[in-house]
Amino acid sequence: MDKDQLPELALYYIALLLLVFFILEVLQAAVGEIAFWIEMVIILVIVSAYRYVAVWLGIAPSSGE
């Protein structure tokens, strides 16, 4: 792996992590307490969709192509 790509990938995954926390917090504020397994399903959906949405928006890291 090229060391020049690491900062780009780090920002990509930090954004993913922040998005997961943000969506979980918004859901908990709107719905209330969410069960652990439901949170896991929500996280799985976000992480699975994130790559496709990033590519669609044109913000995916160049190393992932």
Side-chain angles (χ1 to χ4, degrees):
M1 173 175 274
D2 188 14
K3 289 183 181 181
D4 295 332
Q5 295 174 343
L6 290 178
E8 185 180 10
L9 285 174
L11 290 175
Y12 179 78
Y13 287 112
I14 289 170
L16 172 61
L17 185 64
L18 291 174
L19 180 67
V20 167
F21 284 131
F22 176 75
I23 290 176
L24 286 176
E25 287 297 319
V26 168
L27 286 174
Q28 285 182 351
V31 177
E33 189 64 31
I34 300 173
F36 173 77
W37 291 110
I38 295 175
E39 284 185 356
M40 288 295 114
V41 169
I42 293 168
I43 291 170
L44 181 66
V45 169
I46 295 168
V47 170
S48 298
Y50 185 73
R51 169 83 175 125
Y52 298 109
V53 172
V55 169
W56 181 63
L57 292 175
I59 59 171
S62 59
S63 63
E65 295 175 353

